[in-house]
Amino acid sequence: MAKKQFQAESKRLLDLMIHSIYTNKEIFLREIISNASDAIDKRYFKNLSEGGNGLNREDYSIHIAADKEKRTLTISDNGIGMTEEELENNLGIIANSGSLKFKSENDVKEDIDIIGQFGVGFYSAFMVSKDIVVRTKADGSDKAYEWESQGADGYTIKEIEKADVGTEIVLTLLDDTDEENYSEFLEEYRLRELIRRYSDYIRYAIRMEVEKRTPVEATEEEKAKEDYTPQYDTYYEEETINSMVPIWKKNKSDVTDEEYNNFYKEKYYDYADPAKVVVSHVEGVVSYDALLFFPSQVPFNYYSKEYQKGLQLYSSGVLIMDKCEDLLPDYFGFVRGLVDSQDLSLNISREMLQQNRQVIAIAQRIEKKISSELMDMQRKDRDKYEAFYKNFGLQLKFGMYEKYGMNADKLKDLVMFYSSSEKKLVTFSEYVGRMKTDQKYIYYACGDSVEKIARMPQIEMLLDQGYEVLFCTEDVDEFALKSLMKYDDKEFRSVAEDDLGIEQSEEAKKASEAKTEENKDLMAALKDVLKDKVVDVKLSARLKNHPVCFSTEGISLEMEKVLNAQPMGGDVKADKILEINGDHPVFEALKRAFEAKDDAKLKKYADLLYDQALLIEGMPIEDPMAFSKNICELMV
Ligand code: ADP
């Protein structure tokens, strides 16, 4: 029989399959099962519209049989089948397959991606087979045909006898090599695993002959023997491998928590139950079912580059992508789960996904859903939300800061900070609700830990006067606040800022103005000594017990530290102002040195105070030797 040639494009795709170094060859089974399921769909609906053929939905099924001796794997269905012409057109040409269209250049890396991301249908079977036979009989026809091919050099078609309508595909697997073990696709456990993984939710039964064992009856005498081991008979029985109804298609009330939890743990390899399960059935412009999980623990690699966010994407029950990143914004990257939509085609490409209207619309709705579920948890189950926030709050704060603060607004009600007055995490809305009537700003303070911040000199006066301060203990915190800028029209203000916007009483104002005037020469002298280190030296309005502290304008010292610690971080400098406590005994000492015109002493004191302010900030002092020497000289 003369061999027919594949159409040029098909030949190229075929070549790609045959020489594939793609590691996920196992997807061929998903492709073939999905074709079988489609064929059954077609026959089912055709017959429904024609008044029925006596077959019920349960009568349709897909069968898998492995023959280790012959090295064949047979997949058969009682779907619509193909006529001779269809066989020719469908398997000889990839007429409308999108797979090749967007692939212009023959780049190996790109090829691998194509196989992985889109699924390339029937031809993927050539990744594992040296010979493929397709026997098929179309619904309504009395003739059956056989198509056979060993690969790129063509195919044959001949008429055969076949009793039942439907299609049978026989794959003869490639011989095993050092690198590849094709025989595994003949093993029951492996087939079972593949069917469960990729095709569990195909709506028709996928049946396979599986090995079963029954114990052989033993006499009491035999059992009593010391070396007795139970004996088993093996036999074979057909079993439905897939569960057929996707858990995400079911109503939440029909599924137990345990079922959801088990599904989550099995599918997403977590050993702990999820913190929250979100079930969503949406119909409208886009229709989809989504099943989402918020993990109760941080995946071990979560805050590393290895972690890959994304939801599984199904098209009518068939898995088309394992981690579809486009469905989740980075800041909700911790969410796991899946989306199933009938509006998506099975062969959609990764590039096309990003611009796909449906995917974009689904992603937007999913984001809103996650957000509202989190808000709900925050309101109704604060403990749970706090536990969640402990795990993933950092991610939310990064989300506020990333992309130039583009998403800060969306996240502002989800983030929380430790409050000086409540001694626990609070939201901005709670803070603003408690603000004093004359309070202009939302105050925050940055430091390594809650304990350290509570001891900061800059914070003393604010706390004393009963202002609430939010504690920022994470590097990203201040950047996140700066991205948001305001909450409810209230600006954020660091306690280290020069201007805290607190009105003094007339009396206090007069007294401090007088004191500033009185000491202006001393301040000028100090500023001159420290001119390379600070932009100003002034009498402090906020210090009570501490002698000195820094305040800043614009970039804060915390930001300076964080930015400079970054690998690419440049040489960022905050504008420091040295604030001196005019009521502290050291101030008297400064005054005495100044009045005695002892310039050397004044310089020594100024340097010491500057270094102390650095130490209080947890910053390194520039010259520890000089500092130590100064202290010693003062002591002896
Ligand atoms: P796709 O499924 O994306 O169209 P495939 O290469 O997987 O691409 O299959 C090509 C065509 O062959 C299918 O569209 C279908 O018409 C036909 N086909 C494949 N498998 C079967 C089957 N089991 N029964 C009937 N038709 C089939």
Side-chain angles (χ1 to χ4, degrees), residues 10 30 321 347 476 483 585:
S10 312
R30 168 192 87 178
M321 195 180 287
N347 284 336
V476 69
S483 304

Side-chain angles (χ1 to χ4, degrees), residues 533 555-557 560 564 571-576 619 622:
K533 298 171 173 166
I555 292 187
S556 72
L557 289 172
E560 174 186 312
N564 289 340
D571 201 13
V572 181
K573 273 268 169 281
D575 284 338
K576 300 189 199 71
M619 298 174 88
E622 283 142 44

Side-chain angles (χ1 to χ4, degrees), residues 35-36 39 42 77 80-82 90-91 120-123 167 169 347:
N35 281 346
K42 284 183 201 156
D77 64 70
I80 194 145
M82 284 176 270
N90 293 340
L91 304 187
V120 277
F122 173 78
Y123 285 177
T167 303
I169 297 177
N347 284 336

